[in-house]
Amino acid sequence: MALPQLFEFHVRPRILYGPRSVREIGFEANKLGGTRAFIVTDKMLRQVGLAQRVADGLAGSGVTLVGIFDDVPPNSEVKVVEAGAAYAREAGCDLLIALGGGSVMDTAKGMNVLLSEGGSLLDYEGAGLLTRPLKPFIAIPTTAGTGSEVTIAAVIRDEAQGLKLEFNSPFMMPDVAILDPELTLSLPPGLTAATGMDALTHAIETLVSTGTQPLSDALAIGAIKLIAANLRQAVQHGDDLEARGAMLLASNMAGIAFSNAMLGIVHAMAHPCGGRYGVPHGVANSILLPYGMAYNLPTCAPRLAEVAAALGVETRGLDDETAALAGIAAVRQLAADCGLPARLSEVGVPHEGLAQLAADSQGDAMMMTNPNPAGEEDVLALYERAF
Amino acid sequence: MPVFKDAEQLYDCIGGVLDYLRTDETVSVAFRKSGLVIRFKYSDPDSEITLDGSQDPITLTCGPCDRAPTVDMTMSADTAHQFWLGKVNLVAALTRGAMKAKGPIPAIMKLLPVITPAYKKYPDILREKGLDNLINV
Ligand SMILES: [Fe+2]
């Protein structure tokens, strides 16, 4: 395979993995030069005691916990970020800790921009607008899917405009990501399944993206293997620490991969389902992934054959197209085994809404790196099939 | 050495391709629908062009403009030149800092498929102005 002419591969956070690795947070915070730490999380995670574990990890390290902001909703909003930043500033915070899923991470990223640079969040909507490092920032994911602990982007909703705003800058990445599988043990089966399929979608879309490159490829293939071998177990036996750990790593690896190589049509189609009808991100991806793979197959059969092999499909003796089709079937089976719905009609998307979704998908940045260009009509046909 | 010798030449060439887009039917419909006011801020030579899709007909201003932009795109004039020659990957340019975008990125991305046909037009515009030498820069 020809190598791309020019590519870059960035990975900022130092990654610490292990059951109970959250105990190392004091050491890590100290090393980053923090003295007054502030935790961003949600009410549920605080209630089940996870925020307390972070607080315990800080004890005796010389880093003081100066506040906990737990008002983060499932989809973050501008006013939440601004309230969180005001609280953290008042508390005199000099280091941020995000404990949670994608929404918490995005909130903390936005808060860090405001804490470090001041102004209003809307001033930073766009790409490449930050010019220097922000305050030290540690991310501790409690779901295994979004990979937000290693990505440069944050998506935050502006209720006033009714729009989702995108913020992109390498400076928004955390400095350290702590992957402690014990913190994901309480994740219920439905969420485990959906977030796991989000990670699988990241890995597969990365491999066929036009931004593909050898470094992200290796991580994406590794992630697919881990997900194929562990997602069912993590869903069906949530207390299996090994399976939880493998999923947390897979999510992280797929996150690094897609942050560098970008995604494609599945995400471009899943985003509007979330925006218009509140379909959870992982569920929308899981439903649409087989259709997106099939649409791209004519342009990247050899790549999808590699995906099939990584999924554990016996591909010896098969031509690329047959192997790719077997890989698509394996993705369907995995989603079904994890109890996820297979059709958009099952998750509250009305048939008359499909045309608007297809129009929305055309504005999604992820469509730019899809290997098989897709106009509004192509996308509508795919939504129809997935309905 | 920068591609364009001065702002005048940039307005002639980059302004030329933007003016072509302004009057192209498909593009103008999509651009009017977006309602965006895009200000391109260039360096080497320092210059700016504003494309205002908030009113009909769409207006193009070379040089400072009073309209408040909804999107600010900042880049070197050389990057803009390469972009219109179809040699710049927008996503890579944004992540690598060759371009900065302030404002709603999805709205810009949505316009991209309709403006890319102008990649073919840009060399023609350069040729018409006797600037064939810039095509392979
Ligand atoms: Fe995703």
Side-chain angles (χ1 to χ4, degrees), chain A residues 3 10 15 57 61 66 77 92 104 116 124 132 151 174 177 204 229 239 245 260-261 270 287 296 307 312-313 318 340:
Chain A
L3 292 176
H10 49 216
I15 296 161
S61 67
V66 296
E77 293 165 30
V104 165
S116 308
Y124 302 96
R132 55 183 180 177
T151 67
I204 294 177
D239 56 350
N260 283 284
I287 293 171
N296 286 332
V307 167
V313 173
L318 300 184
L340 288 164

Side-chain angles (χ1 to χ4, degrees), chain B residues 26-37:
Chain B
T26 322
V27 181
S28 56
V29 169
F31 193 54
R32 277 285 296 130
K33 210 168 125 192
S34 77
L36 292 176
V37 180

Side-chain angles (χ1 to χ4, degrees), chain A residues 118-334:
Chain A
S120 135
L121 194 59
L122 268 67
D123 298 341
Y124 302 96
E125 183 195 7
L129 299 172
L130 296 168
T131 53
R132 55 183 180 177
L134 308 177
K135 285 195 194 300
F137 176 23
I138 300 176
I140 311 172
T142 58
T143 65
T146 65
S148 302
E149 73 277 11
V150 283
T151 67
I152 63 166
V155 178
I156 295 161
R157 198 175 158 72
D158 182 10
E159 281 302 335
Q161 297 183 71
L163 285 176
K164 276 189 170 177
L165 312 183
E166 289 184 22
F167 303 83
N168 293 276
S169 165
F171 293 115
M172 292 199 311
M173 260 197 228
D175 298 286
V176 173
I178 295 181
L179 310 181
D180 183 343
E182 284 196 355
L183 305 187
T184 66
L185 288 175
S186 56
L187 198 64
L191 262 177
T192 303
T195 50
M197 288 302 287
D198 184 25
L200 180 65
T201 310
H202 294 156
I204 294 177
E205 291 215 278
T206 288
L207 281 163
V208 300
S209 153
T210 58
T212 174
Q213 43 148 299
L215 295 172
S216 57
D217 289 351
L219 288 165
I221 288 284
I224 294 172
K225 287 183 180 168
L226 285 171
I227 294 166
N230 291 283
L231 180 55
R232 287 180 181 86
Q233 180 70 6
V235 171
Q236 289 156 11
H237 302 278
D239 56 350
D240 184 331
L241 198 60
E242 284 282 319
R244 290 291 194 182
M247 284 308 301
L248 197 51
L249 277 171
S251 161
N252 184 266
M253 290 158 71
I256 298 170
F258 91 79
S259 196
N260 283 284
M262 311 304 282
L263 296 167
I265 190 168
V266 181
H267 270 76
M269 289 176 65
H271 288 151
C273 295
R276 298 263 171 196
Y277 302 110
V279 184
H281 180 64
V283 172
N285 275 326
S286 177
I287 293 171
L288 296 165
L289 180 56
Y291 298 94
M293 290 168 77
Y295 181 78
N296 286 332
L297 198 152
T299 58
C300 55
R303 265 295 150 118
L304 290 175
E306 286 179 53
V307 167
L311 282 165
V313 173
E314 179 52 78
T315 57
R316 250 178 307 175
L318 300 184
D319 62 65
D320 286 344
E321 195 185 329
T322 313
L325 288 170
I328 295 172
V331 166
R332 277 214 169 86
Q333 191 59 51
L334 178 57

Side-chain angles (χ1 to χ4, degrees), chain B residues 23-134:
Chain B
T23 49
D24 174 88
E25 202 179 313
T26 322
V27 181
S28 56
V29 169
F31 193 54
R32 277 285 296 130
K33 210 168 125 192
S34 77
L36 292 176
V37 180
I38 307 183
R39 177 169 63 185
F40 299 93
K41 290 202 285 192
Y42 306 112
S43 52
D44 298 308
D46 285 343
S47 46
E48 63 178 76
I49 300 181
T50 302
L51 205 50
D52 180 356
S54 70
Q55 50 191 9
D56 204 6
I58 299 163
T59 58
L60 177 83
T61 312
C62 290
C65 172
D66 297 337
R67 292 288 301 177
T70 40
V71 177
D72 246 323
M73 299 282 296
T74 310
M75 70 198 82
S76 71
D78 285 12
T79 299
H81 177 69
Q82 296 295 335
F83 175 80
W84 289 113
L85 287 172
K87 293 179 184 168
V88 171
N89 172 332
L90 187 62
V91 174
L94 288 168
T95 44
R96 293 196 46 74
M99 284 187 191
K100 291 183 166 69
K102 186 174 190 309
I105 293 182
I108 305 166
M109 292 297 173
K110 205 166 183 167
L111 285 175
L112 209 64
V114 293
I115 66 166
T116 43
Y119 290 167
K120 288 198 195 73
K121 188 72 187 166
Y122 186 54
D124 295 343
I125 291 173
L126 295 176
R127 264 182 227 110
E128 275 166 30
K129 300 179 189 301
L131 295 169
D132 309 45
N133 58 319
L134 297 188

